[in-house]
């Protein structure tokens, strides 16, 4: 074959591969328009109105208008384009963005995490580090050594992260109120509504419908989100170009930063106080980074740089051109700049875009709450994997109704957009400020750049944000206090929950039963072994929890197969299903004691329905065979023995065969061909009672029943076959879930603050969802063991 022919084939193959990639990129960019950029694209509704309020309300100067647009242009360019679209999208945690992702990235590269549940086997996950990344032979920085050495710095870092997370929750409550109210205020112009309570009333009706839509699920109409935002962007783009051409084509001169100087020269201290309104033009830019996990970097950059940024610049330029010749229209600048013929279509589009943008922000709030809960920073909530157009989005009922109450309260309480935007701006600014400081640590500790480079990043973006923050300090009495109060309440709850969870974990670690004491009891463990499988839930990744021995002291009987189940969160966005189960053995084989560590990422939604029990049996069977073959995979080296990551190998599923079961009364002789007969060890009387109980229980009656069959294969070690048969027999007899029902109290000699924190933690534990609900454990198979914790 000639070289020209081979080059032609390579070119054709590369072209064929690039076409699907281009289609995926374009499709993701199209989706991101509806789910990422709705918030920032609605800012033209209220930016100029917020700038020219207060002291600047009566400013009648073309230079002030030009200067305001110049401030908007450079703020959009520096914060949205340079910081987020270009720089921050590279600071991802294996494709995931946001404040929690930055914290996870720092904890993976330094010992910053306060919960000591990390295992060396966690670092072997394929998603733990970026492909090709290695931090070997890199000397640790002085900053890393300092933070790792002092516990107080770790606590300060955690509090700083929680502050950013609390402000994200505030954004999720305030943004729907701002966007819906500002879009409906157009009725004051065209419909001549003079009743001041009418617009807030209409907004409240739309807000209630918006949050109820979250409850019902928006997957049925989610495909309409990108078209709505695209139509909205096209409309504001055309309106901006129209106003530039008609009113003042020379507005392009305001692109020069010289007009920023003229703005402050004309406005003086009032101009500095109005900087908070300028920052509103970039609210929503954080969504590019926060929701990066749903998309990829290239589509987000392309969508913002090629579509969002030009449309916003031309819209703000058009409004400035209109206002330069119509200075009295500043309070209603956006709707006043719309030609009369297009007013009602644009008004309807604005209302629809506000609903779409609010829905996306609320979904982002659910995501940050789920991530905080994964890091033990929030009480237990029920996260539901919603069937939306974008995979991975969740719905949290409790948070949804809390956000609705806050949105309705600020809408009714303030009644207009003016004071709500100050609260919304402060919350967004704090999120951006926290992101900047965390990125400073990422540059130095994760990317291993010099501290000078990290400080340069902070100096460029942090100084600008501090300038905006100084302006917002004057807005605290007139609405800016709302996010401060709300975030303070959220902060107390989040830190107290993390503090109590940490103290409870240390108590479990200190009071866990030593393996030597358990193993000296012999195969029977000094108790009666009854048919069935017992799943002991514990937060410990090693050792036997005190709740297990507490159970045995009150009832010296337990199941023939015992599995200690630990569900833990790993410092990765998502754990592949093939690497989720870490299986190990406790003691000799005759004890039939196993340990299963189920690992989830902070973006994963815990799903423990009918399949968990079946996957657990299959994983244990795989581990038994792999252990006998001497290839048990990655070893953790804990005191319990070898821990193996049971991956989906070519032999997975060939140890046992699964089939649908009609019920517990099914004849055991109806085995599949090539399978061994395994009979249940339960007596006929117990089988009959169990069948009657399942018929009466709706929960058990609706569960999918799986029957395991041991394949009739030749085993080198007859003990392996015996162990597998006992596993199948225990599963057929039924599984019981044992979980600790703990009551936490502070020690009598504790300080007042510690007693307050522990009592609040205990109160939250009693009034939030129980661990059984969070783990989706069937109540009919649940056994609770009472435990007292004095921490």
């Amino acid at each position: 074959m000639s070289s020209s022919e081979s080059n032609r084939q390579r070119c054709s193959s590369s072209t064929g591969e690039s076409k699907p990639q281009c289609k995926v990129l374009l499709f993701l960019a199209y989706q991101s328009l509806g789910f990422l950029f709705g918030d920032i694209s609605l800012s033209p509704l209220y930016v100029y109105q917020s700038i020219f309020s207060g002291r600047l309300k009566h400013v009648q100067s073309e230079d002030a208008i030009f200067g305001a647009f110049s401030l908007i242009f450079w703020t959009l360019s520096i914060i949205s384009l340079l910081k987020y679209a270009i720089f921050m999208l590279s600071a991802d945690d294996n494709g995931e963005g946001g404040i929690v992702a930055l914290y996870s990235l720092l904890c993976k590269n330094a010992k910053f995490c306060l919960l000591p549940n990390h295992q060396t086997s966690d670092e072997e996950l394929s998603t733990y580090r970026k492909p090709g990344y290695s931090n070997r032979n890199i000397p640790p920085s002085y900053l890393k050594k300092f933070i790792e050495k002092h516990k107080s710095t770790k606590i300060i870092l955690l509090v700083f992260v929680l502050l950013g997370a609390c402000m994200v929750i505030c954004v999720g409550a305030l943004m729907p109120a701002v966007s819906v109210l500002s879009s409906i205020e157009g009725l004051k112009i065209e419909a001549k509504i003079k009743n001041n309570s009418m617009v807030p009333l209409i907004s409240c009706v739309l807000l209630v419908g918006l949050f109820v839509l979250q409850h019902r699920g928006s997957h049925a109409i989610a495909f309409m989100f990108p078209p709505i935002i695209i139509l909205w962007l096209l409309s504001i783009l055309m309106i901006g170009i129209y106003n530039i051409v008609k009113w003042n084509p020379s507005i392009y001169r305001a692109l020069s930063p010289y007009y920023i100087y003229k703005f402050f020269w004309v406005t003086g201290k009032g101009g500095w106080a109005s900087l908070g309104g300028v920052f509103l033009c970039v609210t929503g830019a954080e969504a590019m980074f926060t929701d990066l996990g749903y998309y990829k970097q290239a589509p987000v950059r392309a969508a913002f740089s090629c579509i969002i940024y030009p449309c916003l610049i031309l819209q703000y330029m058009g409004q400035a051109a209109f206002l330069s010749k119509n200075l009295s229209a500043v309070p209603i600048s956006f709707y006043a700049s719309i030609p009369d013929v297009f007013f009602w279509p644009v008004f309807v589009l604005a209302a629809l875009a506000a609903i779409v943008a609010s829905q996306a922000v609320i979904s982002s709030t659910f995501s940050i709450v789920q991530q905080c809960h994964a890091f033990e920073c929030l009480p237990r909530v029920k996260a539901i994997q919603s069937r939306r157009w974008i995979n991975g989005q969740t719905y949290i009922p409790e948070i949804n109704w809390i956000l609705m109450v806050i949105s309705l309260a600020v809408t009714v309480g303030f009644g207009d957009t003016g004071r709500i935007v100050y609260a919304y701006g402060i919350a967004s600014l704090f999120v951006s400020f926290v992101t900047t400081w965390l990125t400073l640590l990422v540059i130095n500790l994760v990317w291993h750049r010099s501290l000078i480079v990290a400080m340069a990043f902070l100096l460029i973006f942090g100084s600008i944000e501090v300038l905006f923050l100084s302006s917002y300090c004057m807005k605290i009495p007139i609405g800016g206090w709302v996010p401060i109060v709300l975030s303070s309440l959220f902060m107390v709850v989040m830190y107290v929950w993390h503090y109590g969870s940490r103290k409870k974990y240390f108590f479990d670690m200190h009071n866990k039963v030593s393996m030597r004491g358990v193993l000296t009891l012999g195969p029977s463990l000094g108790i009666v072994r009854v048919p069935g499988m017992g799943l002991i839930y514990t937060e410990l990744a090693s050792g036997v929890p005190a709740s297990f021995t507490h159970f045995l002291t009150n009832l010296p009987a337990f199941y023939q197969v015992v599995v200690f189940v630990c569900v833990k969160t790993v410092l990765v966005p998502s754990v592949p299903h093939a690497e989720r189960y870490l299986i190990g053995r406790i003691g000799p084989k005759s004890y039939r004691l196993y340990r299963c560590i189920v690992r989830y990422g902070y973006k994963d939604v815990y799903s423990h329905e009918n399949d968990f029990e079946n996957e657990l049996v299959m994983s244990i069977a795989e581990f038994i065979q792999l252990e006998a073959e001497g290839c048990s995979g990655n070893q953790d080296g804990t005191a319990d023995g070898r821990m193996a990551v049971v991956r989906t190998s070519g032999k997975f599923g060939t140890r046992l065969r699964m089939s649908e079961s009609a019920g517990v009364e099914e004849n055991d002789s109806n085995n599949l061909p090539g399978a061994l007969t395994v009979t249940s060890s339960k007596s006929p009387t117990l089988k009959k009672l169990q069948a009657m109980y399942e018929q009466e229980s709706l929960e058990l009656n609706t569960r999918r029943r799986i029957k395991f069959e041991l394949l009739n294969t030749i085993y080198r070690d007859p003990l392996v076959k015996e162990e597998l048969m006992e596993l199948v027999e225990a599963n057929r007899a039924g599984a019981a879930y044992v979980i600790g029902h703990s009551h936490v109290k502070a020690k009598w000699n504790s300080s007042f603050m510690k007693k307050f924190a522990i009592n609040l933690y205990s109160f939250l534990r009693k009034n939030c969802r129980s661990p059984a609900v969070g783990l989706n454990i069937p109540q009919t198979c649940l056994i609770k063991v009472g435990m007292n914790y004095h921490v």
Side-chain angles (χ1 to χ4, degrees):
M1 182 183 295
S2 64
S3 59
S4 59
E5 291 178 355
S6 60
N7 292 333
R8 193 180 305 112
Q9 287 186 359
R10 285 196 297 266
C11 293
S12 61
S13 62
S14 62
T15 304
E17 293 176 358
S18 62
K19 286 183 178 179
Q21 293 179 358
C22 292
K23 290 181 180 179
V24 172
L25 189 147
L26 292 175
F27 180 70
L28 290 175
Y30 168 76
Q31 279 188 328
S32 67
L33 292 174
F35 290 89
L36 291 186
F37 303 112
D39 187 2
I40 194 172
S41 67
L42 286 172
S43 299
L45 289 171
Y46 45 78
V47 168
Y48 282 105
Q49 174 186 345
S50 300
I51 295 174
F52 294 99
S53 61
R55 297 182 182 181
L56 299 188
K57 194 171 185 179
H58 302 290
V59 172
Q60 302 287 328
S61 171
E62 183 177 287
D63 287 339
I65 302 296
F66 276 45
F69 168 68
S70 185
L71 279 168
I72 292 171
F73 170 75
W74 287 105
T75 302
L76 263 174
S77 301
I78 295 175
I79 301 296
S80 296
L81 185 63
L82 183 60
K83 177 186 174 182
Y84 282 105
I86 295 178
F87 195 91
M88 289 303 304
L89 292 185
S90 300
D92 64 304
D93 180 19
N94 247 325
E96 184 62 37
I99 291 176
V100 176
L102 291 176
Y103 181 66
S104 172
L105 204 58
L106 292 171
C107 291
K108 283 192 295 187
N109 290 271
K111 299 176 181 178
F112 292 169
C113 189
L114 293 171
L115 287 177
N117 62 349
H118 178 74
Q119 295 175 282
T120 56
S121 59
D122 297 339
E123 301 181 11
E124 301 299 328
L125 290 168
S126 60
T127 56
Y128 196 81
R129 302 190 188 278
K130 287 185 177 180
Y133 177 85
S134 177
N135 60 352
R136 297 177 180 178
N137 301 324
I138 299 177
S141 66
Y142 293 105
L143 182 60
K144 176 182 177 181
K145 293 179 180 178
F146 179 80
I147 297 178
E148 290 181 342
K149 183 178 179 181
H150 298 85
K151 183 180 177 181
S152 58
T153 57
K154 299 179 184 179
I155 295 176
I156 293 173
L157 178 61
L158 175 65
V159 170
F160 200 61
V161 171
L162 294 182
L163 172 64
C166 292
M167 287 299 178
V168 172
I169 298 174
C170 292
V171 169
L174 296 171
M175 188 272 167
V178 171
S179 59
V180 172
L181 191 58
S182 60
S183 64
I184 300 301
E185 280 185 340
L187 293 175
K188 294 181 179 180
I189 301 176
E190 195 71 15
K192 303 295 189 297
I193 294 179
K194 297 182 179 180
N195 189 353
N196 293 330
S197 61
M198 184 60 65
V199 171
L201 179 62
I202 298 174
S203 301
C204 288
V205 173
L206 290 178
L207 287 172
V208 171
L210 171 66
F211 285 98
V212 170
L213 181 67
Q214 296 289 328
H215 173 62
R216 297 296 181 183
S218 58
H219 60 278
I221 59 173
F223 69 93
M224 298 176 58
F225 291 172
I228 290 174
I229 298 299
I230 290 173
L231 289 176
W232 167 252
L233 290 171
L234 288 176
S235 65
I236 63 175
L237 172 66
M238 298 307 296
I239 292 171
I241 296 174
Y242 169 81
N243 287 325
I244 293 171
V245 174
K246 180 178 180 180
W247 296 105
N248 197 345
S250 63
I251 188 64
Y252 73 90
R253 294 183 300 169
L255 297 175
S256 170
Y258 170 72
Y259 281 89
I260 298 178
Y261 164 77
K262 297 187 70 174
F263 174 82
F264 288 109
W265 178 263
V266 172
T267 59
K269 293 183 178 179
W272 169 75
S274 66
L275 283 178
V278 176
F279 183 79
L280 293 172
C281 70
V282 295
T283 54
E286 179 77 19
M288 280 189 286
F289 181 57
T290 302
D291 295 333
L292 180 63
Y294 300 128
Y295 309 95
K296 296 181 180 179
Q297 297 173 358
V300 174
R301 283 197 177 105
F304 182 81
S305 304
C306 301
I307 300 177
I308 304 298
Y309 181 75
C311 289
L312 291 177
I313 294 299
L314 289 173
Q315 165 55 212
Y316 286 120
M317 187 182 293
Q319 274 197 63
F322 171 80
L323 292 176
S324 65
K325 304 301 181 183
N326 302 273
L327 295 173
S328 61
V330 168
I332 51 174
S333 60
F334 177 79
Y335 282 109
S337 65
I338 302 174
D340 294 338
V341 179
F342 300 104
F343 178 86
W344 286 111
V346 174
F347 173 79
V348 173
L349 271 177
L352 293 176
I355 294 174
V356 171
S358 301
Q359 191 276 337
V361 171
I362 294 170
S363 296
S364 298
T365 308
F366 293 156
S367 179
I368 197 72
V369 168
Q370 176 195 341
Q371 294 172 29
C372 291
H373 169 63
F375 279 96
E376 293 292 343
C377 294
L378 266 179
R380 288 178 293 269
V381 292
K382 187 175 183 179
I384 303 172
Q385 191 80 34
S386 58
R387 296 182 296 112
R388 299 174 189 269
W389 200 36
I390 300 298
N391 294 327
Q393 287 187 336
T394 57
Y395 168 72
I396 303 176
E398 299 95 331
I399 302 301
N400 184 63
W401 306 128
I402 290 174
L403 295 180
M404 185 184 74
V405 170
I406 297 174
S407 295
L408 293 177
V410 296
T411 302
V412 175
F414 291 137
D416 64 337
T417 309
R419 286 179 290 179
I420 304 179
V421 293
Y422 297 145
Y424 173 48
I426 288 178
S428 300
L429 180 57
F430 266 102
V431 174
S432 180
F433 190 66
V434 170
T435 302
T436 300
W437 276 90
L438 292 178
T439 308
L440 161 72
L441 297 177
V442 169
I443 293 173
N444 181 247
L445 304 179
V446 181
W447 295 351
H448 305 290
R449 304 297 182 185
S450 66
L451 193 58
I452 297 176
V453 176
M455 292 302 297
F457 174 85
L458 178 65
L459 183 64
I460 294 173
F461 300 109
S463 58
I464 297 175
E465 292 164 351
V466 168
L467 186 63
F468 285 119
L469 185 61
S470 64
S471 172
Y472 269 125
C473 289
M474 301 184 63
K475 308 298 183 182
I476 292 177
I478 51 176
W481 57 270
V482 173
I484 297 176
V485 172
L486 290 176
S487 61
S488 299
L489 294 176
F490 293 142
M491 175 74 73
V492 170
V493 173
M494 294 171 77
Y495 184 76
V496 164
W497 185 267
H498 187 273
Y499 175 79
S501 300
R502 193 168 72 246
K503 289 295 183 181
K504 180 177 176 295
Y505 187 88
F506 284 129
F507 183 90
D508 284 333
M509 288 286 292
H510 181 72
N511 293 275
K512 68 180 181 180
V513 182
S514 65
M515 291 308 305
R516 181 176 300 178
V518 173
L519 298 180
T520 53
L521 297 177
S524 65
L525 299 179
I527 59 175
V528 178
R529 305 298 286 265
V530 297
M533 177 184 294
L535 305 181
I536 317 296
Y537 278 82
T538 175
E539 296 178 359
L540 299 178
S542 62
V544 176
S547 59
F548 179 62
T549 56
H550 186 64
F551 179 88
L552 295 181
T553 55
N554 290 276
L555 183 63
F558 213 74
Y559 298 94
Q560 63 189 108
V561 174
V562 179
V563 184
F564 293 95
V565 181
C566 172
V567 181
K568 58 176 286 188
T569 300
V570 190
L571 296 172
V572 297
S574 180
V575 176
H577 190 272
E579 304 176 42
R580 180 155 293 167
Y581 294 95
L582 189 63
I583 306 294
R585 184 189 299 279
I586 300 178
K589 296 181 179 180
S590 58
Y591 288 17
R592 303 298 188 253
L593 295 177
Y594 307 96
R595 180 179 303 282
C596 175
I597 300 177
V598 189
R599 302 178 293 185
Y600 284 86
Y602 55 83
K603 286 281 290 183
D604 291 329
V605 177
Y606 183 75
S607 179
H608 178 183
E609 298 178 349
N610 300 337
D611 292 336
F612 172 77
E613 183 181 325
N614 304 325
E615 291 179 356
L616 180 62
V617 173
M618 295 292 291
S619 298
I620 294 175
E622 181 76 7
F623 168 78
I624 293 171
Q625 185 64 26
L626 290 176
E627 185 185 40
E629 296 174 356
C631 52
S632 54
N634 298 329
Q635 297 181 2
D636 187 50
T638 63
D640 297 354
R642 295 181 297 177
M643 300 289 291
V645 178
V646 180
R647 301 175 182 269
T648 307
S649 64
K651 297 181 180 180
F652 189 83
T654 61
R655 325 294 184 185
L656 303 178
R657 182 182 296 174
M658 291 192 303
S659 61
E660 292 285 343
S661 175
V664 295
E665 293 187 26
E666 184 183 11
N667 190 350
D668 290 328
S669 62
N670 296 332
N671 293 295
L672 296 175
L676 295 176
T677 302
V678 181
T679 59
S680 175
S681 56
K682 282 189 176 181
S683 64
T685 304
L686 288 178
K687 289 183 180 181
K688 186 176 181 180
L689 289 174
Q690 183 180 0
M692 293 174 58
Y693 181 60
E694 290 191 1
Q695 290 178 359
E696 296 175 359
S697 175
L698 179 62
E699 183 179 8
L700 288 179
N701 199 28
T702 56
R703 295 183 70 193
R704 187 168 67 100
R705 298 179 177 89
I706 295 296
K707 180 181 178 181
F708 286 96
E709 301 287 346
L710 182 62
L711 296 179
N712 190 12
T713 57
I714 300 175
Y715 296 90
R716 297 179 182 177
D717 188 354
L719 296 179
V720 173
K721 180 178 180 181
E722 178 184 346
E723 189 173 4
L724 289 175
M725 291 185 66
E726 191 168 352
L727 177 65
V728 174
E729 179 184 339
N731 175 259
R732 185 164 302 183
Y737 301 84
V738 182
I739 193 169
H741 185 67
S742 56
H743 182 62
V744 185
K745 289 184 178 180
K747 295 180 180 179
W748 64 272
N749 58 348
S750 301
S751 62
F752 171 77
M753 290 302 298
K754 184 176 180 180
K755 286 182 178 179
F756 171 78
I758 295 301
N759 291 334
L760 179 57
Y761 172 73
S762 181
F763 173 80
L764 293 172
R765 282 182 61 89
K766 292 178 182 178
N767 292 275
C768 70
R769 294 184 182 269
S770 66
V773 176
L775 296 171
N776 292 325
I777 296 176
Q779 296 292 325
T780 51
C781 305
L782 179 63
I783 300 174
K784 292 185 178 181
V785 181
M787 288 289 296
N788 288 326
Y789 288 80
H790 294 277
V791 299

